[in-house]
Amino acid sequence: GPPCPTDWLVLQVPARALLEGDMVRLRCRRWWDMWVTRVRFYHEEKDLGETLDGTELSLPPLQLNHSGRYRC
């Protein structure tokens, strides 16, 4: 089908403070829990690629260089 407009997507992140070494999973959801089959993730403007499981991205243990803006 046609691509989903990016303003319909929400990036979910942990609500707690994150520290170096923490494991983090980012999840991309569509408003109103509508179905999404797969998404691409970006850190700043760098394309992190398409995920194999569709809507989630696991980051390696956090380091300072992981800080910044993420989007899907």
Side-chain angles (χ1 to χ4, degrees):
C4 177
T6 57
D7 59 344
W8 289 8
L9 298 175
V10 175
L11 182 62
Q12 296 176 323
V13 296
R16 60 182 173 79
L18 300 172
L19 303 172
E20 284 189 74
D22 284 351
M23 299 293 291
V24 175
R25 180 173 292 208
L26 304 177
R27 179 177 292 152
C28 194
R29 295 281 189 227
R30 192 166 168 194
W31 286 107
W32 305 290
D33 285 330
M34 296 178 84
W35 190 52
V36 176
T37 56
R38 58 186 193 204
V39 296
R40 294 187 85 78
F41 286 88
Y42 299 86
H43 175 221
E44 297 302 340
E45 294 304 317
K46 180 182 177 191
D47 185 351
L48 299 177
E50 191 172 311
T51 61
L52 296 176
D53 63 354
T55 62
E56 295 184 356
L57 176 69
S58 293
L59 297 176
L62 290 182
Q63 297 178 2
L64 188 56
N65 65 326
H66 291 124
S67 65
R69 182 175 180 256
Y70 287 82
R71 65 184 176 92
C72 58

